[in-house]
């Protein structure tokens, strides 16, 4: 039930393939489900249009820092992963290969985001309690009232300007726990550019990032 909804509404999340039914408070569950069943064909069309997940399989292309890298796997190589001339070089047994890539990406994300967050926090004169990563569906970063910032590890897949604009956004929340004019001014100041293109990029391309790798 949604107290603010005025009408029944269906939506499909392309990242999770979940179907959301928004129901106004005055509408019964029975009526809402009956209405949704009448739109079954629409739901099926929406689900069919969602591209399939992209797995970390040999030969697949994975974006890192916004640039494509082809997974170049050979069992005879060491398990250590490195990037080299458009290739993600990796080895070891094929079993567990995708999980090793995921761990590597998360480690790279945490290292880089921690460094950039500290850089911007110093620039803003803000106190930072800590940096962490996760895999949220609905947001790319969050800042607690105690000064702890968490990011989606998937920012490592995005271009540098997108990642750094997101960092600037969360660091600005260390100073302003709102989205007022002073907050937006601080984001632009510590980022050193207009952050709106980065937000537009995430709005346009973010769903594709959520289809990459294991969940």
């Amino acid at each position: 039930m949604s107290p603010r909804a005025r009408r029944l509404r269906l939506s499909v999340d392309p990242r999770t393939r979940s179907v959301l039914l928004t129901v106004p408070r005055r509408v019964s569950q029975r009526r809402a489900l009956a209405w949704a069943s009448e739109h079954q064909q629409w739901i099926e069309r929406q689900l069919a249009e969602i591209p399939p997940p992209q797995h970390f399989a040999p030969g697949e292309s994975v974006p890192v820092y916004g640039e494509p890298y082809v997974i170049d796997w050979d069992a005879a190589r060491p398990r250590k992963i490195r990037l080299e001339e458009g290739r993600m070089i990796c080895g070891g047994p094929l079993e567990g290969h995708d999980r090793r890539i995921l761990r590597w990406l998360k480690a790279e994300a945490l290292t880089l985001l921690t460094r950039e967050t500290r850089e911007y926090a110093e620039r803003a004169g803000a106190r930072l309690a800590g940096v962490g990563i996760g895999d949220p569906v609905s947001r790319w970063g969050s800042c607690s009232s105690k000064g702890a910032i968490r990011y989606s590890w998937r920012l490592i897949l995005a271009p540098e300007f997108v990642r750094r604009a997101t960092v600037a956004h969360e660091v600005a929340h260390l100073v302003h726990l709102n989205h007022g004019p002073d907050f937006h001014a601080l984001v632009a100041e510590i980022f050193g550019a207009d952050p709106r293109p980065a937000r537009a990029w995430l709005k346009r391309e973010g769903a594709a990032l959520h289809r990459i790798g294991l969940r």
Side-chain angles (χ1 to χ4, degrees), residues 124-152:
R127 178 186 172 275
L128 175 66
V131 177
I133 59 169
D135 194 12
V137 172
S138 60
R139 57 178 61 187
W140 297 100
S142 62
C143 178
S144 75
S145 59
K146 295 182 179 180
I149 294 178
R150 287 184 64 81
Y151 299 100
S152 167

Side-chain angles (χ1 to χ4, degrees), residues 3-197:
R4 292 184 293 180
R6 296 186 177 181
R7 60 186 178 86
L8 290 165
R9 185 167 63 88
L10 277 169
S11 59
V12 175
D13 190 325
R15 298 163 296 187
T16 62
R17 300 181 64 85
S18 58
V19 180
L20 176 65
L21 173 60
T22 302
V23 184
R25 181 176 291 175
R26 67 180 183 277
V27 178
S28 69
Q29 181 180 8
R30 181 178 179 180
R31 178 186 167 192
L33 292 175
W35 179 84
S37 67
E38 295 173 359
H39 293 78
Q40 185 64 33
Q41 289 186 345
W42 179 88
I43 294 172
E44 292 175 355
R45 285 198 304 270
Q46 296 300 307
L47 291 172
E49 291 174 2
I50 298 174
Q54 180 181 343
H55 300 292
F56 296 135
E60 291 286 343
S61 178
V62 178
V64 185
Y65 318 123
E67 297 295 330
Y69 286 86
V70 175
I71 298 175
D72 187 341
W73 169 83
D74 188 325
R77 295 193 189 116
R79 299 188 183 200
K80 185 176 180 180
I81 296 171
R82 70 181 191 277
L83 302 180
E84 181 180 293
E85 298 179 349
R87 296 181 299 155
M88 178 180 285
I89 308 297
C90 45
L94 186 58
E95 182 180 358
H97 156 81
D98 48 359
R99 291 189 294 274
R100 291 195 296 275
I101 291 178
L102 181 60
R103 285 196 300 269
W104 182 84
L105 286 169
K106 287 182 175 181
E108 287 290 302
L110 181 58
T111 298
L112 185 55
L113 288 165
T114 298
R115 183 169 68 243
E116 292 176 344
T117 302
R118 288 173 177 167
E119 172 193 338
Y120 281 171
E122 182 177 351
R123 193 176 298 180
R127 178 186 172 275
L128 175 66
V131 177
I133 59 169
D135 194 12
V137 172
S138 60
R139 57 178 61 187
W140 297 100
S142 62
C143 178
S144 75
S145 59
K146 295 182 179 180
I149 294 178
R150 287 184 64 81
Y151 299 100
S152 167
W153 71 264
R154 296 174 185 276
L155 286 170
I156 198 69
L157 309 174
E160 179 182 7
F161 81 96
V162 174
R163 184 187 69 247
R164 290 182 70 92
T166 305
V167 172
H169 182 105
E170 298 308 328
V171 167
H173 277 313
L174 294 173
V175 181
H176 304 288
L177 278 174
N178 55 58
H179 289 99
D182 291 342
F183 165 82
H184 289 294
L186 182 57
V187 173
E189 178 185 341
I190 60 179
F191 180 49
D194 184 353
R196 286 177 295 182

